[in-house]
Amino acid sequence: MMNLHDPIAMLLGSWSAEINVWSALLRIALAILCSAIIGCERATKRHAAGLRTFMLACLASAIAMMVDQSLGGGIPIVSAAAVIGVAIISSNSILYSSRSQIKGLTTSMGLWAIVALGLAIGAGLYALALIGFGALLCCLSLFPPFEAYLKDRSNHFEVHLELKERRNLQDFVATIRRLGLRIDDIESNPAYLNSGLSVYSISVTITSPELKKYKRHDEIIEALRSLDYVYFIDEL
């Protein structure tokens, strides 16, 4: 099936819009190149799904789409199977850490996005694939600093708190309130039950106008870290 609406395919010629040896080589090479760049970005940040995982996911989806186009029939059975397979793998990459923190959401969605990119490449939608590649790379590499900036200036944040003794929790709550903070939720962490520490996940809202205007989360946490009965505290 030819795709006569893709500007890059029109520029390259009709062979690139059809399923043949040369177009297959082009699409596979493009899938490997784009996914390798995305995978390198993930690998440099030491995520579970890195270079090879992203390359294989994109390559498999591109091949699946080409198989569906070669078989015809109108129902993309192989492509659907590839999407379902990656959905299962992506769901398994989402984990809960001992600090009640969800990890792997970005990796999971990144795998989904790279599969969609592979399907576009396999379908011969070169322009769409390149636009999607640029958008995906920006989301993963350029926006995290901006996201961290917004997160650090939010009026709401969560902390992982380790107290030396359970009775210190009352003192900590009193200190929090004096600082102009409101505790929205306190959850005891059972993972540290036999450690000798009292460990909590605490949701906090900044209510003081002065704190809202001048203080960042790391400055507030640093002040709380100086308390004698606090063994460890960090933002989730």
Side-chain angles (χ1 to χ4, degrees):
M1 183 176 63
M2 294 182 59
N3 176 26
L4 299 179
H5 302 289
D6 185 84
I8 297 179
M10 294 175 63
L11 182 64
L12 294 174
S14 60
W15 66 271
S16 64
E18 300 170 349
I19 298 296
N20 53 62
V21 174
W22 301 113
S23 66
L25 288 174
L26 173 62
R27 297 177 192 186
I28 288 174
L30 186 59
I32 290 176
L33 176 62
C34 291
S35 60
I37 295 173
I38 299 295
C40 284
E41 192 279 336
R42 295 280 86 191
T44 55
K45 296 179 180 177
R46 302 185 65 82
H47 291 283
L51 177 62
R52 291 181 297 172
T53 304
F54 275 80
M55 289 176 67
L56 290 172
C58 190
L59 178 60
S61 57
I63 292 175
M65 178 57 76
M66 286 189 286
V67 170
D68 279 331
Q69 287 191 342
S70 298
L71 295 176
I75 302 177
I77 298 176
V78 182
S79 301
V83 172
I84 293 173
V86 171
I88 296 173
I89 295 172
S90 298
S91 63
N92 291 333
S93 68
I94 301 175
L95 302 172
Y96 287 85
S97 71
S98 60
R99 298 180 181 177
S100 300
Q101 186 177 9
I102 300 175
K103 294 185 176 182
L105 285 175
T106 302
T107 296
S108 177
M109 295 309 300
L111 285 173
W112 271 55
I114 205 68
V115 165
L117 184 67
L119 293 175
I121 293 173
L125 302 173
Y126 303 107
L128 174 61
L130 291 177
I131 293 172
F133 163 72
L136 179 57
L137 186 60
C138 286
C139 288
L140 293 176
S141 61
L142 299 182
F143 283 100
F146 180 62
E147 182 181 21
Y149 173 85
L150 294 177
K151 182 180 178 182
D152 197 41
R153 283 154 181 80
S154 169
N155 291 331
H156 308 276
F157 62 99
E158 295 184 33
V159 297
H160 169 84
L161 173 67
E162 299 177 11
L163 298 175
K164 295 178 181 179
E165 296 182 24
R166 182 177 294 273
R167 62 184 176 84
N168 296 140
L169 181 60
Q170 185 176 356
D171 297 329
F172 181 82
V173 171
T175 301
I176 281 284
R177 290 172 178 171
R178 284 198 301 270
L179 288 174
L181 305 173
R182 184 184 72 238
I183 295 180
D184 299 318
D185 183 56
I186 299 178
E187 181 180 348
S188 179
N189 194 325
Y192 294 79
L193 188 60
N194 298 318
S195 66
L197 298 171
S198 295
V199 182
Y200 305 92
S201 297
I202 301 180
S203 299
V204 178
T205 297
I206 302 174
T207 57
S208 168
E210 183 180 355
L211 286 180
K212 288 181 179 180
K213 187 175 182 181
Y214 298 109
K215 298 295 183 182
R216 301 195 311 267
H217 297 175
D218 56 347
E219 294 175 330
I220 296 173
I221 291 173
E222 187 62 33
L224 295 173
R225 191 174 287 130
S226 64
L227 298 173
D228 293 336
Y229 48 80
V230 172
Y231 182 78
F232 179 84
I233 185 171
D234 201 5
E235 184 174 4
L236 292 176

